[in-house]
Amino acid sequence: AFIQKYRKDVTGVLSGWDRVRIRGMQRILANVGGMMSYLSHVGVWLKDFGAFVERTCLAVRQASEQAARRLDRPVLYLSSSAVDKYEQAQTIAEQDQVQEGLVCVFSCVEPCQAYKVQPDRVTKMISLQKALRKCVHLYHYWRHKDFGLMHARLQTWFPFTIEVCFNGRSWLARQMEQHGLGYQQRDNCFTWLEDVHASQMLMEQLRRFHWPPFLQSIADQIHPLQKDLLQGFRTEYYWSMTESEWATDVIFGSSQALARIYPSLVAGAMTTFAI
C-alpha cells in the first residue's frame, strides 16, 4: 500500500536478506544423554570430566588458531565482549589490504551453555548437568569472495557450538559486480540500482543457496579437531537459522520527493512501533 500510494516517486524496490545468523550444533553433544554416550564412547569417567574438558578445549583452541598463525594473520584477545568486532576486523582488513581470505581471529570470554559435574548429597553420586558458564569464543573473520566481510564464532567448550554470520546485501553487491550491473550503496542500503529487476532476480538466488556443504566447510576450517575428537561418533553439524533480517529498500527518484514524506514516516514510526 505504501509503494502504491507513492508510486509516482518510487523508482525501484528491492527485497531480500540483510544480516543473517546461522547456528551449527553437534546435537549429540548438546544434551546430557548424548554427552554421556559420547563420554562412554571415548572412555572418560565423570570423575575425570573436568580434566578431560580442560585438556580437550585447550587443544580445540590451539587448533582453531593455528590457521591464522600459519597465514601470519593476527590473533587478538579482546577484554570485553562489547567491542565492535566487525569494525575492528574491517580496519585490519583495510590496513593489511586483505582482498580475500582470513583477516584475523579474535578471542573473547563470553557466556555459553556447557556442562558441569554436580554431586548429589542424597545419592552420594555425581551427575552431569547443563549449566550456564563462560568460556573462550573464537571469532574468525574473512573477506569471502562471494559474501564479503563475514565471520564465524566457535565456542571452545563442549558442545562446540558454531555461529556463522553474513550479510545478504554484501553478497548481492558482489553478484552485481560479477554481472556488470551498476549500483550505489551507502552503509547497508542501496540508493541506486542500474537494473532493479535484474538485481532482484540475483537476490532471489540467495534463497536457493545450497547451504550444508558451505557451512560444513566453515566448520572444518574453524574446528579442525571435530572429527578426531568425536572418533566417528556422529561428526556432522546440524544447521539452523537463528536470526535473520529481511529488508526492503524503497528507492525514490529524488531526495526532494523523499523529504516531503519523511517527517510523517518518522512520526508514524515513533507512534506505532515500540522498543
PDB file of all heavy atoms in Angstrom, residues 60-83:
ATOM      1  N   VAL A  60      41.393 -27.731  21.195  1.00  0.00           N
ATOM      2  CA  VAL A  60      40.476 -27.154  20.202  1.00  0.00           C
ATOM      3  C   VAL A  60      40.860 -25.716  19.902  1.00  0.00           C
ATOM      4  O   VAL A  60      40.898 -25.290  18.741  1.00  0.00           O
ATOM      5  CB  VAL A  60      39.021 -27.244  20.707  1.00  0.00           C
ATOM      6  CG1 VAL A  60      38.096 -26.373  19.860  1.00  0.00           C
ATOM      7  CG2 VAL A  60      38.546 -28.689  20.699  1.00  0.00           C
ATOM      8  N   ARG A  61      41.146 -24.963  20.946  1.00  0.00           N
ATOM      9  CA  ARG A  61      41.501 -23.553  20.764  1.00  0.00           C
ATOM     10  C   ARG A  61      42.797 -23.418  19.975  1.00  0.00           C
ATOM     11  O   ARG A  61      42.889 -22.618  19.044  1.00  0.00           O
ATOM     12  CB  ARG A  61      41.640 -22.886  22.127  1.00  0.00           C
ATOM     13  CG  ARG A  61      42.004 -21.410  22.057  1.00  0.00           C
ATOM     14  CD  ARG A  61      42.058 -20.799  23.451  1.00  0.00           C
ATOM     15  NE  ARG A  61      42.471 -19.410  23.412  1.00  0.00           N
ATOM     16  CZ  ARG A  61      42.606 -18.641  24.482  1.00  0.00           C
ATOM     17  NH1 ARG A  61      42.337 -19.136  25.684  1.00  0.00           N
ATOM     18  NH2 ARG A  61      42.981 -17.380  24.370  1.00  0.00           N
ATOM     19  N   GLN A  62      43.802 -24.187  20.317  1.00  0.00           N
ATOM     20  CA  GLN A  62      45.091 -24.097  19.622  1.00  0.00           C
ATOM     21  C   GLN A  62      44.952 -24.489  18.156  1.00  0.00           C
ATOM     22  O   GLN A  62      45.533 -23.854  17.275  1.00  0.00           O
ATOM     23  CB  GLN A  62      46.112 -24.986  20.332  1.00  0.00           C
ATOM     24  CG  GLN A  62      46.512 -24.468  21.709  1.00  0.00           C
ATOM     25  CD  GLN A  62      47.429 -25.419  22.454  1.00  0.00           C
ATOM     26  OE1 GLN A  62      47.501 -26.625  22.141  1.00  0.00           O
ATOM     27  NE2 GLN A  62      48.138 -24.900  23.446  1.00  0.00           N
ATOM     28  N   ALA A  63      44.166 -25.537  17.885  1.00  0.00           N
ATOM     29  CA  ALA A  63      43.980 -25.977  16.500  1.00  0.00           C
ATOM     30  C   ALA A  63      43.220 -24.939  15.691  1.00  0.00           C
ATOM     31  O   ALA A  63      43.508 -24.712  14.505  1.00  0.00           O
ATOM     32  CB  ALA A  63      43.232 -27.308  16.475  1.00  0.00           C
ATOM     33  N   SER A  64      42.237 -24.294  16.314  1.00  0.00           N
ATOM     34  CA  SER A  64      41.450 -23.282  15.615  1.00  0.00           C
ATOM     35  C   SER A  64      42.289 -22.057  15.282  1.00  0.00           C
ATOM     36  O   SER A  64      42.115 -21.440  14.223  1.00  0.00           O
ATOM     37  CB  SER A  64      40.234 -22.878  16.466  1.00  0.00           C
ATOM     38  OG  SER A  64      39.394 -21.990  15.783  1.00  0.00           O
ATOM     39  N   GLU A  65      43.193 -21.692  16.174  1.00  0.00           N
ATOM     40  CA  GLU A  65      44.043 -20.526  15.954  1.00  0.00           C
ATOM     41  C   GLU A  65      45.204 -20.810  15.011  1.00  0.00           C
ATOM     42  O   GLU A  65      45.812 -19.878  14.478  1.00  0.00           O
ATOM     43  CB  GLU A  65      44.606 -20.032  17.292  1.00  0.00           C
ATOM     44  CG  GLU A  65      43.558 -19.473  18.241  1.00  0.00           C
ATOM     45  CD  GLU A  65      44.149 -19.108  19.592  1.00  0.00           C
ATOM     46  OE1 GLU A  65      45.307 -19.516  19.857  1.00  0.00           O
ATOM     47  OE2 GLU A  65      43.472 -18.424  20.382  1.00  0.00           O
ATOM     48  N   GLN A  66      45.493 -22.095  14.788  1.00  0.00           N
ATOM     49  CA  GLN A  66      46.682 -22.463  14.030  1.00  0.00           C
ATOM     50  C   GLN A  66      46.647 -21.941  12.604  1.00  0.00           C
ATOM     51  O   GLN A  66      47.667 -21.519  12.048  1.00  0.00           O
ATOM     52  CB  GLN A  66      46.851 -23.990  14.018  1.00  0.00           C
ATOM     53  CG  GLN A  66      48.136 -24.479  13.354  1.00  0.00           C
ATOM     54  CD  GLN A  66      49.384 -23.920  14.032  1.00  0.00           C
ATOM     55  OE1 GLN A  66      49.431 -23.775  15.243  1.00  0.00           O
ATOM     56  NE2 GLN A  66      50.404 -23.594  13.245  1.00  0.00           N
ATOM     57  N   ALA A  67      45.456 -21.955  11.982  1.00  0.00           N
ATOM     58  CA  ALA A  67      45.353 -21.484  10.597  1.00  0.00           C
ATOM     59  C   ALA A  67      45.763 -20.022  10.494  1.00  0.00           C
ATOM     60  O   ALA A  67      46.469 -19.632   9.557  1.00  0.00           O
ATOM     61  CB  ALA A  67      43.918 -21.663  10.099  1.00  0.00           C
ATOM     62  N   ALA A  68      45.340 -19.204  11.469  1.00  0.00           N
ATOM     63  CA  ALA A  68      45.707 -17.784  11.450  1.00  0.00           C
ATOM     64  C   ALA A  68      47.209 -17.612  11.630  1.00  0.00           C
ATOM     65  O   ALA A  68      47.839 -16.799  10.944  1.00  0.00           O
ATOM     66  CB  ALA A  68      44.945 -17.043  12.541  1.00  0.00           C
ATOM     67  N   ARG A  69      47.786 -18.350  12.543  1.00  0.00           N
ATOM     68  CA  ARG A  69      49.228 -18.229  12.782  1.00  0.00           C
ATOM     69  C   ARG A  69      50.018 -18.704  11.562  1.00  0.00           C
ATOM     70  O   ARG A  69      51.064 -18.132  11.227  1.00  0.00           O
ATOM     71  CB  ARG A  69      49.605 -19.018  14.030  1.00  0.00           C
ATOM     72  CG  ARG A  69      48.848 -18.549  15.281  1.00  0.00           C
ATOM     73  CD  ARG A  69      49.407 -19.164  16.546  1.00  0.00           C
ATOM     74  NE  ARG A  69      48.557 -18.902  17.697  1.00  0.00           N
ATOM     75  CZ  ARG A  69      48.507 -17.760  18.349  1.00  0.00           C
ATOM     76  NH1 ARG A  69      49.263 -16.750  17.956  1.00  0.00           N
ATOM     77  NH2 ARG A  69      47.716 -17.604  19.408  1.00  0.00           N
ATOM     78  N   ARG A  70      49.513 -19.742  10.912  1.00  0.00           N
ATOM     79  CA  ARG A  70      50.209 -20.250   9.725  1.00  0.00           C
ATOM     80  C   ARG A  70      50.176 -19.223   8.592  1.00  0.00           C
ATOM     81  O   ARG A  70      51.130 -19.115   7.816  1.00  0.00           O
ATOM     82  CB  ARG A  70      49.547 -21.560   9.274  1.00  0.00           C
ATOM     83  CG  ARG A  70      50.280 -22.258   8.121  1.00  0.00           C
ATOM     84  CD  ARG A  70      49.710 -23.641   7.857  1.00  0.00           C
ATOM     85  NE  ARG A  70      48.309 -23.588   7.465  1.00  0.00           N
ATOM     86  CZ  ARG A  70      47.293 -23.997   8.215  1.00  0.00           C
ATOM     87  NH1 ARG A  70      47.530 -24.483   9.428  1.00  0.00           N
ATOM     88  NH2 ARG A  70      46.048 -23.923   7.788  1.00  0.00           N
ATOM     89  N   LEU A  71      49.090 -18.461   8.492  1.00  0.00           N
ATOM     90  CA  LEU A  71      48.958 -17.439   7.455  1.00  0.00           C
ATOM     91  C   LEU A  71      49.497 -16.086   7.905  1.00  0.00           C
ATOM     92  O   LEU A  71      49.375 -15.095   7.173  1.00  0.00           O
ATOM     93  CB  LEU A  71      47.479 -17.297   7.066  1.00  0.00           C
ATOM     94  CG  LEU A  71      46.832 -18.515   6.416  1.00  0.00           C
ATOM     95  CD1 LEU A  71      45.321 -18.314   6.282  1.00  0.00           C
ATOM     96  CD2 LEU A  71      47.451 -18.798   5.051  1.00  0.00           C
ATOM     97  N   ASP A  72      50.049 -16.043   9.114  1.00  0.00           N
ATOM     98  CA  ASP A  72      50.596 -14.802   9.680  1.00  0.00           C
ATOM     99  C   ASP A  72      49.519 -13.730   9.806  1.00  0.00           C
ATOM    100  O   ASP A  72      49.764 -12.545   9.599  1.00  0.00           O
ATOM    101  CB  ASP A  72      51.754 -14.284   8.819  1.00  0.00           C
ATOM    102  CG  ASP A  72      52.610 -13.260   9.583  1.00  0.00           C
ATOM    103  OD1 ASP A  72      52.642 -13.348  10.828  1.00  0.00           O
ATOM    104  OD2 ASP A  72      53.225 -12.399   8.942  1.00  0.00           O
ATOM    105  N   ARG A  73      48.305 -14.167  10.190  1.00  0.00           N
ATOM    106  CA  ARG A  73      47.223 -13.244  10.466  1.00  0.00           C
ATOM    107  C   ARG A  73      47.106 -13.049  11.968  1.00  0.00           C
ATOM    108  O   ARG A  73      47.390 -13.957  12.749  1.00  0.00           O
ATOM    109  CB  ARG A  73      45.881 -13.753   9.895  1.00  0.00           C
ATOM    110  CG  ARG A  73      45.860 -13.970   8.377  1.00  0.00           C
ATOM    111  CD  ARG A  73      46.361 -12.773   7.607  1.00  0.00           C
ATOM    112  NE  ARG A  73      45.644 -11.558   7.970  1.00  0.00           N
ATOM    113  CZ  ARG A  73      46.179 -10.333   7.949  1.00  0.00           C
ATOM    114  NH1 ARG A  73      47.433 -10.156   7.607  1.00  0.00           N
ATOM    115  NH2 ARG A  73      45.462  -9.293   8.305  1.00  0.00           N
ATOM    116  N   PRO A  74      46.682 -11.885  12.440  1.00  0.00           N
ATOM    117  CA  PRO A  74      46.671 -11.604  13.882  1.00  0.00           C
ATOM    118  C   PRO A  74      45.617 -12.411  14.639  1.00  0.00           C
ATOM    119  O   PRO A  74      44.507 -12.629  14.155  1.00  0.00           O
ATOM    120  CB  PRO A  74      46.364 -10.106  13.941  1.00  0.00           C
ATOM    121  CG  PRO A  74      45.695  -9.789  12.651  1.00  0.00           C
ATOM    122  CD  PRO A  74      46.300 -10.710  11.634  1.00  0.00           C
ATOM    123  N   VAL A  75      46.003 -12.855  15.834  1.00  0.00           N
ATOM    124  CA  VAL A  75      45.085 -13.475  16.788  1.00  0.00           C
ATOM    125  C   VAL A  75      45.078 -12.566  18.009  1.00  0.00           C
ATOM    126  O   VAL A  75      46.075 -12.457  18.717  1.00  0.00           O
ATOM    127  CB  VAL A  75      45.530 -14.902  17.173  1.00  0.00           C
ATOM    128  CG1 VAL A  75      44.564 -15.498  18.192  1.00  0.00           C
ATOM    129  CG2 VAL A  75      45.611 -15.787  15.937  1.00  0.00           C
ATOM    130  N   LEU A  76      43.953 -11.891  18.248  1.00  0.00           N
ATOM    131  CA  LEU A  76      43.894 -10.831  19.251  1.00  0.00           C
ATOM    132  C   LEU A  76      42.896 -11.164  20.344  1.00  0.00           C
ATOM    133  O   LEU A  76      41.766 -11.598  20.056  1.00  0.00           O
ATOM    134  CB  LEU A  76      43.494  -9.507  18.591  1.00  0.00           C
ATOM    135  CG  LEU A  76      44.357  -9.048  17.414  1.00  0.00           C
ATOM    136  CD1 LEU A  76      43.755  -7.816  16.765  1.00  0.00           C
ATOM    137  CD2 LEU A  76      45.779  -8.777  17.868  1.00  0.00           C
ATOM    138  N   TYR A  77      43.299 -10.953  21.595  1.00  0.00           N
ATOM    139  CA  TYR A  77      42.392 -11.142  22.723  1.00  0.00           C
ATOM    140  C   TYR A  77      41.655  -9.838  23.008  1.00  0.00           C
ATOM    141  O   TYR A  77      42.254  -8.763  23.072  1.00  0.00           O
ATOM    142  CB  TYR A  77      43.171 -11.566  23.970  1.00  0.00           C
ATOM    143  CG  TYR A  77      42.302 -11.621  25.215  1.00  0.00           C
ATOM    144  CD1 TYR A  77      41.377 -12.648  25.396  1.00  0.00           C
ATOM    145  CD2 TYR A  77      42.394 -10.623  26.187  1.00  0.00           C
ATOM    146  CE1 TYR A  77      40.570 -12.694  26.520  1.00  0.00           C
ATOM    147  CE2 TYR A  77      41.592 -10.666  27.311  1.00  0.00           C
ATOM    148  CZ  TYR A  77      40.688 -11.697  27.475  1.00  0.00           C
ATOM    149  OH  TYR A  77      39.890 -11.738  28.592  1.00  0.00           O
ATOM    150  N   LEU A  78      40.341  -9.936  23.167  1.00  0.00           N
ATOM    151  CA  LEU A  78      39.511  -8.777  23.482  1.00  0.00           C
ATOM    152  C   LEU A  78      39.051  -8.900  24.925  1.00  0.00           C
ATOM    153  O   LEU A  78      38.450  -9.907  25.314  1.00  0.00           O
ATOM    154  CB  LEU A  78      38.300  -8.708  22.552  1.00  0.00           C
ATOM    155  CG  LEU A  78      38.605  -8.650  21.046  1.00  0.00           C
ATOM    156  CD1 LEU A  78      37.313  -8.611  20.251  1.00  0.00           C
ATOM    157  CD2 LEU A  78      39.477  -7.446  20.722  1.00  0.00           C
ATOM    158  N   SER A  79      39.304  -7.877  25.715  1.00  0.00           N
ATOM    159  CA  SER A  79      38.983  -7.928  27.142  1.00  0.00           C
ATOM    160  C   SER A  79      37.500  -7.738  27.414  1.00  0.00           C
ATOM    161  O   SER A  79      37.028  -8.002  28.526  1.00  0.00           O
ATOM    162  CB  SER A  79      39.779  -6.862  27.901  1.00  0.00           C
ATOM    163  OG  SER A  79      39.494  -5.569  27.384  1.00  0.00           O
ATOM    164  N   SER A  80      36.745  -7.270  26.417  1.00  0.00           N
ATOM    165  CA  SER A  80      35.312  -7.042  26.594  1.00  0.00           C
ATOM    166  C   SER A  80      34.548  -7.541  25.375  1.00  0.00           C
ATOM    167  O   SER A  80      34.967  -7.310  24.229  1.00  0.00           O
ATOM    168  CB  SER A  80      35.024  -5.554  26.804  1.00  0.00           C
ATOM    169  OG  SER A  80      33.630  -5.295  26.772  1.00  0.00           O
ATOM    170  N   SER A  81      33.424  -8.199  25.611  1.00  0.00           N
ATOM    171  CA  SER A  81      32.589  -8.678  24.509  1.00  0.00           C
ATOM    172  C   SER A  81      31.830  -7.534  23.849  1.00  0.00           C
ATOM    173  O   SER A  81      31.212  -7.718  22.793  1.00  0.00           O
ATOM    174  CB  SER A  81      31.598  -9.730  25.013  1.00  0.00           C
ATOM    175  OG  SER A  81      30.759  -9.174  26.025  1.00  0.00           O
ATOM    176  N   ALA A  82      31.857  -6.339  24.457  1.00  0.00           N
ATOM    177  CA  ALA A  82      31.138  -5.187  23.903  1.00  0.00           C
ATOM    178  C   ALA A  82      31.900  -4.507  22.772  1.00  0.00           C
ATOM    179  O   ALA A  82      31.363  -3.625  22.097  1.00  0.00           O
ATOM    180  CB  ALA A  82      30.846  -4.171  25.000  1.00  0.00           C
ATOM    181  N   VAL A  83      33.138  -4.904  22.542  1.00  0.00           N
ATOM    182  CA  VAL A  83      33.934  -4.308  21.472  1.00  0.00           C
ATOM    183  C   VAL A  83      33.277  -4.607  20.124  1.00  0.00           C
ATOM    184  O   VAL A  83      32.794  -5.714  19.885  1.00  0.00           O
ATOM    185  CB  VAL A  83      35.373  -4.864  21.506  1.00  0.00           C
ATOM    186  CG1 VAL A  83      36.165  -4.385  20.293  1.00  0.00           C
ATOM    187  CG2 VAL A  83      36.074  -4.444  22.784  1.00  0.00           C
TER     188      VAL A  83
END
